[in-house]
Amino acid sequence: MKCYELPTACEAGLFNKNIRPYVRIAFEGNYFSDKDIIECVIQSYRSVDGGTRNLGDLILDTTETREFLDNYDTGDDVQIWYCYGDNSACFMRFNLKIDDNGIQYEQTGYSKKTCRIHLVDHSKALSDEKKQKNWTESQILVHSVVCDETQPEKSLVHLLSKRGGFSAEDIDCCYLPFNVPYVEITRSAWDELCDLAKCYGASLECSKDKCISFTESPYDTVNSFSDEKGLTLTDAFITHYRSYNDNDEYGNSIRLKYTKYSETERQVLWEFSDSHSWYDEDFNVWYPFTNDSREICQDNYKALYTAKDAGGKVRSVVYAEEIDDKETFEKNIITDGGKKFEIEVYDTTSNKNCAVIKLNRKGENIALRSATIHGKAIISETNFCVYRHDEEEIKKHGQQVKNLSYKYLSNDEIDGVPYYERRANDLLEEYKKRHRSFYVTTFLCLSNVRAGACIGLDIEGIERKVAVDEISLRYKKEEAFSTELWLTEK
């Protein structure tokens, strides 16, 4: 991932020690008084769930600005700008919202009047399941692709964002046209988007320009991926650093498990069978109905679908479509002597993995040769696993296994290899690296650095490429600017 590009004037002032950076704040596009900003601390970090979260805290002097702030409350937009020298050299870095606590006013004595404001990004709304539960809308998505802005009606990124209340215009995304036959949505829109981002190595963030950014995937088939260094931070600008080994995530064996879903061609999904069978002279099986004890004559009999995969194995069906209608089902019932059943119930819409059937023999003895239902299906292969390991690393460090599970893996090929295999190979390469991590502070205002981006770190003449796990931009009116970075060596 790249750092943001700064305007020319800002870039010229970034490493200039003679310029004191400062912050400007705009509420819904209206600028607050610069001199009354006491403190502005913004954090951006990559969380373990797979997304990047941005949040902040403001302390403002309200002695002369209370009337201005009375126009704003919970949910209003707050833009954070970083300035280098003057207002002509400024860069809008964060677009956040006032959290549910609103503007918290404080007063000490008679004259000291301040307020505190906690800021959050759109991930807060996307994480709120109470706002997303719509029981009239299906939670099953089929025949989807991972990410494609040209067909948002099929794109998982757009469909999940829609559940969180965002439209296609709110999304900046990459191009990942890999098919995902079936997925069940069980958690919040943000949690599901995080799972999707982890599965495809994408950067998920509620960015400064769009409400949702799903970009920078190394598997993007159109847009180029780059992990080049956006800038290099030398010890001339570093006020403090700490380095340490960070091998908690080390692994030399990968076990990637998921439920593999596949789409089938049209075939027989259900066929009636009964242990009490007769055979004709050609050994064709048929079933005499002499009473109404059989399940198919009872209320709420469920005809569970099964289908054969490409290898001929019978699999459970999780989703079926293009099912025989009632007339076709009745036409396909074969009986001896031409006698017919009355079809009291034939429901193929209430459930996607079975039909509800009830036949009535009307008191007659009917020999049923066959009753079938045809259709297309999505079948499941549970606990499908991909194993990868590195023998040399195991010899050095002993076997250390990473058990991973992703529900959005695709069966499509990338560079001639099924995606789930390619992902397992890449994960092994990632986990077997033994990392060095750093905590660094600097007086520079690194407003263009993003969580997940790569920068250079040059300490005592040794230069490393590192990824930013977390960045905090700390502005205080009465103190020097400070940027804190948590970094991991690439």
Side-chain angles (χ1 to χ4, degrees):
M1 181 195 300
K2 298 179 181 178
C3 296
Y4 285 117
E5 290 187 13
L6 286 174
T8 303
C10 297
E11 190 173 2
L14 182 63
F15 290 96
N16 190 337
K17 296 181 179 180
N18 297 319
I19 292 177
R20 184 179 189 274
Y22 64 97
V23 167
R24 300 199 76 197
I25 298 173
F27 290 81
E28 296 285 340
N30 300 309
Y31 286 99
F32 185 77
S33 169
D34 295 346
K35 67 180 180 63
D36 292 323
I37 302 172
I38 300 174
E39 186 173 330
C40 173
V41 178
I42 307 293
Q43 291 176 288
S44 179
Y45 64 94
R46 303 192 79 179
S47 59
V48 293
D49 56 15
T52 296
R53 289 183 181 262
N54 303 309
L55 52 90
D57 286 291
L58 306 178
I59 300 178
L60 308 176
D61 188 335
T62 61
T63 305
E64 300 176 0
T65 56
R66 174 63 185 264
E67 186 176 348
F68 174 91
L69 291 172
D70 283 342
N71 296 312
Y72 307 101
D73 204 349
T74 297
D76 287 337
D77 290 334
V78 179
Q79 295 84 34
I80 308 296
W81 295 73
Y82 292 92
C83 303
Y84 301 83
D86 56 43
N87 292 350
S88 64
C90 56
F91 175 62
M92 199 273 277
R93 176 62 178 86
F94 296 99
N95 191 352
L96 305 174
K97 287 184 174 294
I98 301 173
D99 81 340
D100 292 341
N101 293 320
I103 300 176
Q104 306 167 53
Y105 293 100
E106 299 181 8
Q107 183 170 342
T108 302
Y110 177 74
S111 59
K112 190 174 181 180
K113 300 178 181 179
T114 61
C115 74
R116 292 177 180 270
I117 304 174
H118 185 60
L119 303 175
V120 294
D121 61 15
H122 290 292
S123 67
K124 175 71 173 177
L126 286 163
S127 299
D128 193 343
E129 288 183 301
K130 297 190 294 295
K131 297 179 180 179
Q132 299 169 36
K133 293 298 185 185
N134 182 359
W135 302 114
T136 64
E137 188 175 320
S138 173
Q139 290 186 294
I140 302 296
L141 301 178
V142 296
H143 310 309
S144 304
V145 296
V146 176
C147 189
D148 183 358
E149 63 182 359
T150 65
Q151 44 180 351
E153 72 283 354
K154 291 183 62 178
S155 170
L156 284 171
V157 170
H158 293 78
L159 293 170
L160 292 171
S161 300
K162 184 178 179 181
R163 294 185 65 81
F166 295 93
S167 65
E169 290 72 27
D170 298 321
I171 302 168
D172 180 23
C173 64
C174 52
Y175 183 62
L176 299 168
F178 306 109
N179 291 300
V180 180
Y182 176 94
V183 67
E184 183 177 1
I185 308 305
T186 58
R187 300 187 295 163
S188 72
W190 178 256
D191 289 331
E192 297 288 350
L193 283 167
C194 285
D195 279 354
L196 192 63
K198 287 176 71 174
C199 187
Y200 290 88
S203 171
L204 170 65
E205 182 180 7
C206 299
S207 68
K208 68 186 187 70
D209 300 313
K210 291 281 190 175
C211 297
I212 300 171
S213 173
F214 191 97
T215 57
E216 305 288 344
S217 170
Y219 308 105
D220 191 326
T221 59
V222 172
N223 305 294
S224 60
F225 174 78
S226 173
D227 60 355
E228 296 178 359
K229 295 177 292 186
L231 56 87
T232 297
L233 188 62
T234 68
D235 44 15
F237 300 99
I238 293 173
T239 53
H240 174 82
Y241 88 93
R242 175 167 57 91
S243 65
Y244 52 96
N245 290 329
D246 186 13
N247 296 317
D248 291 343
E249 292 300 308
Y250 173 79
N252 50 40
S253 299
I254 296 293
R255 180 175 182 263
L256 183 60
K257 183 181 74 171
Y258 79 111
T259 300
K260 184 179 180 182
Y261 296 102
S262 305
E263 300 173 73
T264 73
E265 296 297 327
R266 187 174 178 82
Q267 60 178 280
V268 174
L269 302 182
W270 172 85
E271 186 170 8
F272 183 77
S273 62
D274 194 307
S275 59
H276 303 291
S277 57
W278 294 354
Y279 294 86
D280 62 16
E281 61 276 10
D282 297 320
F283 282 92
N284 294 315
V285 65
W286 50 293
Y287 308 97
F289 275 71
T290 56
N291 57 55
D292 296 326
S293 64
R294 287 169 172 77
E295 291 180 339
I296 201 170
C297 294
Q298 306 299 312
D299 292 333
N300 300 316
Y301 169 70
K302 290 186 177 180
L304 292 172
Y305 303 141
T306 59
K308 292 181 179 180
D309 62 15
K313 291 186 177 180
V314 176
R315 304 287 185 188
S316 297
V317 171
V318 295
Y319 190 95
E321 55 194 344
E322 298 183 23
I323 302 298
D324 291 340
D325 57 23
K326 184 177 180 180
E327 291 73 20
T328 303
F329 173 68
E330 184 176 19
K331 181 180 177 181
N332 288 338
I333 295 177
I334 302 174
T335 62
D336 189 54
K339 295 180 180 179
K340 291 188 177 181
F341 290 95
E342 177 186 344
I343 302 175
E344 287 191 11
V345 178
Y346 182 70
D347 178 7
T348 60
T349 58
S350 297
N351 304 283
K352 290 299 183 180
N353 65 340
C354 67
V356 179
I357 301 172
K358 184 178 181 181
L359 301 183
N360 189 339
R361 66 187 180 89
K362 298 178 292 186
E364 295 191 64
N365 293 336
I366 304 177
L368 176 62
R369 288 184 178 272
S370 68
T372 55
I373 298 175
H374 302 76
K376 289 184 176 181
I378 298 174
I379 56 177
S380 64
E381 183 178 350
T382 58
N383 296 323
F384 182 85
C385 290
V386 182
Y387 299 93
R388 293 291 184 272
H389 65 276
D390 188 303
E391 290 287 357
E392 292 300 319
E393 288 292 313
I394 292 173
K395 289 179 182 178
K396 291 179 183 178
H397 307 290
Q399 188 168 35
Q400 298 187 44
V401 181
K402 286 292 179 181
N403 292 302
L404 307 172
S405 178
Y406 295 140
K407 71 189 231 182
Y408 287 103
L409 286 169
S410 175
N411 303 328
D412 284 4
E413 291 188 352
I414 177 170
D415 298 328
V417 178
Y419 179 76
Y420 52 83
E421 291 187 10
R422 167 70 180 274
R423 186 61 175 147
N425 294 335
D426 292 347
L427 286 168
L428 177 60
E429 292 301 313
E430 181 180 331
Y431 276 108
K432 72 181 186 181
K433 292 178 181 177
R434 301 184 71 81
H435 294 294
R436 189 82 180 158
S437 291
F438 302 86
Y439 167 72
V440 175
T441 65
T442 176
F443 56 83
L444 299 177
C445 177
L446 302 180
S447 61
N448 62 323
V449 174
R450 306 164 61 187
C454 289
I455 65 172
L457 184 63
D458 187 343
I459 299 176
E460 297 179 345
I462 301 174
E463 185 174 347
R464 299 175 172 89
K465 184 168 73 172
V466 293
V468 179
D469 299 318
E470 181 176 344
I471 179 170
S472 292
L473 299 167
R474 298 180 175 273
Y475 167 80
K476 294 184 179 180
K477 184 178 180 180
E478 303 298 333
E479 298 179 17
F481 197 98
S482 177
T483 299
E484 293 180 304
L485 298 161
W486 285 261
L487 310 166
T488 300
E489 187 173 13
K490 294 287 286 183

